[in-house]
């Protein structure tokens, strides 16, 4: 699938006023020179939305959790106690360990993780996933689209966790197994200051994006009386 074909359909659905989605893929060489990012690397998302690519690896990601959830390192020993006792996102460190084990974190297949706006690539064939920073009205369309061709109750899944775990680790694992779940995230208070207060993250694995694009012309986003009224507000 070419990026231009996707963008044309995305604009037909959501209009010209919404931000274009972001995509990510792993490569052996960086696509952009990126200085070290202290703390959460979602700080760089504002510039990515403006059109600049960001290339991340073990050396320029300043957060230990970020390095782990993007597949560059093993989980730092301090993470379970930090998440539980300092951030207080889980009741016990053991729950952190159990939750991480359930995620089946995939190791990075190459040395660099590149994140860019979808119009900065020619093809979507080699991406791991897509991240859409979406308002509630956009999420209405995205969630409805994701549930259109399936009766699975977890077609859109919400798992509380860090931004990098929900938008990268979960999406990558789903893509590697050819899964069909999308992920709603960026609820983590640690990542919220890096994201527009009116937006959440919607992560689509490449494996799911392919099937969703096959059914989009049949769903309410193209053929209904309801969606145009929402689209007018976007």
């Amino acid at each position: 699938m070419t990026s231009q074909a996707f963008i044309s359909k995305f604009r037909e659905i959501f209009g010209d006023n919404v931000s274009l989605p972001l995509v990510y893929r792993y490569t052996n060489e960086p696509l952009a020179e990126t200085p070290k990012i202290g703390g959460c690397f979602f700080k760089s998302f504002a510039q990515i939305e403006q059109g600049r690519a960001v290339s991340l690896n073990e050396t320029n990601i300043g957060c230990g959790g970020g390095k782990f959830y993007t597949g560059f390192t093993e989980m730092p020993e301090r993470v379970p106690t930090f998440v539980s006792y300092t951030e207080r996102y889980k009741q016990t460190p053991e729950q952190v360990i159990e939750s991480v084990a359930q995620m089946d974190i995939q190791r990075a297949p190459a040395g660099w993780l590149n994140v860019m706006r979808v119009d900065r690539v020619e093809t979507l064939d080699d991406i791991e996933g897509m991240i859409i920073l979406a308002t509630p009205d956009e999420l209405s369309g995205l969630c409805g689209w994701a549930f259109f061709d399936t009766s699975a109750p977890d077609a859109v899944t919400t798992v509380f966790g860090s931004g990098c775990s929900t938008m990268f680790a979960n999406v990558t694992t789903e893509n590697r197994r050819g899964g069909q779940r999308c992920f709603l995230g960026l609820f983590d208070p640690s990542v919220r200051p890096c994201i527009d207060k009116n937006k959440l993250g919607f992560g689509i694995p490449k494996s799911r994006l392919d099937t969703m694009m096959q059914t989009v012309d049949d769903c309410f986003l193209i053929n209904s009386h309801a969606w145009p009224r929402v689209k007018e507000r976007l």
Side-chain angles (χ1 to χ4, degrees):
M1 182 195 324
T2 67
S3 61
Q4 287 306 311
F6 171 84
I7 292 169
S8 177
K9 183 59 63 176
F10 187 82
R11 288 302 191 201
E12 180 183 353
I13 295 168
F14 294 103
D16 295 329
N17 294 327
V18 303
S19 300
L20 286 174
L22 313 181
V23 295
Y24 72 94
R25 63 180 178 177
Y26 288 89
T27 59
N28 289 322
E29 298 295 332
L31 300 184
E33 183 176 347
T34 305
K36 185 171 182 177
I37 303 170
C40 181
F41 67 73
F42 276 77
K43 293 176 182 177
S44 65
F45 268 44
Q47 60 183 324
I48 299 172
E49 284 193 283
Q50 293 170 3
R52 178 180 173 184
V54 168
S55 296
L56 304 168
N57 71 357
E58 184 178 353
T59 61
N60 66 7
I61 297 176
C63 169
K67 297 177 185 181
F68 169 59
Y69 287 119
T70 52
F72 291 117
T73 67
E74 297 294 333
M75 182 172 67
E77 291 185 5
R78 67 185 291 266
V79 164
T81 54
F82 178 77
V83 171
S84 180
Y85 296 152
T86 301
E87 292 186 313
R88 308 195 71 80
Y89 293 155
K90 284 291 184 182
Q91 189 174 27
T92 67
E94 289 73 25
Q95 288 177 334
V96 177
I97 295 171
E98 181 180 6
S99 296
V100 169
Q102 293 171 350
M103 293 177 65
D104 187 25
I105 306 297
Q106 303 291 300
R107 294 307 300 268
W112 294 88
L113 168 63
N114 305 281
V115 190
M116 64 223 83
R117 208 169 61 191
V118 67
D119 61 334
R120 299 307 184 191
V121 298
E122 294 183 1
T123 177
L124 302 184
D125 292 343
D126 59 351
I127 66 170
E128 289 277 1
M130 175 175 288
I131 301 169
I132 303 174
L133 301 179
T135 65
D137 280 349
E138 291 172 71
L139 289 174
S140 169
L142 291 167
C143 289
W145 182 12
F147 278 105
F148 174 70
D149 64 349
T150 178
S151 298
D154 61 349
V156 178
T157 300
T158 297
V159 182
F160 182 81
S162 64
C164 47
S165 72
T166 57
M167 293 292 99
F168 288 94
N170 286 333
V171 171
T172 297
T173 297
E174 192 74 5
N175 183 54
R176 302 279 176 85
R177 69 181 188 88
Q180 296 294 294
R181 293 183 300 168
C182 296
F183 295 88
L184 182 61
L186 301 184
F187 295 102
D188 171 17
S190 299
V191 78
R192 289 307 306 163
C194 304
I195 304 298
D196 187 302
K197 66 180 182 180
N198 296 311
K199 293 184 177 182
L200 290 171
F202 193 85
I204 311 176
K206 171 60 164 54
S207 56
R208 181 56 174 142
L209 181 65
D210 288 342
T211 57
M212 287 172 64
M213 290 300 293
Q214 293 173 14
T215 63
V216 64
D217 287 335
D218 297 323
C219 81
F220 69 94
L221 293 172
I222 302 297
N223 293 302
S224 78
H225 297 293
W227 178 247
R229 295 198 297 271
V230 180
K231 181 180 175 180
E232 288 178 358
R233 306 198 310 186
L234 295 175

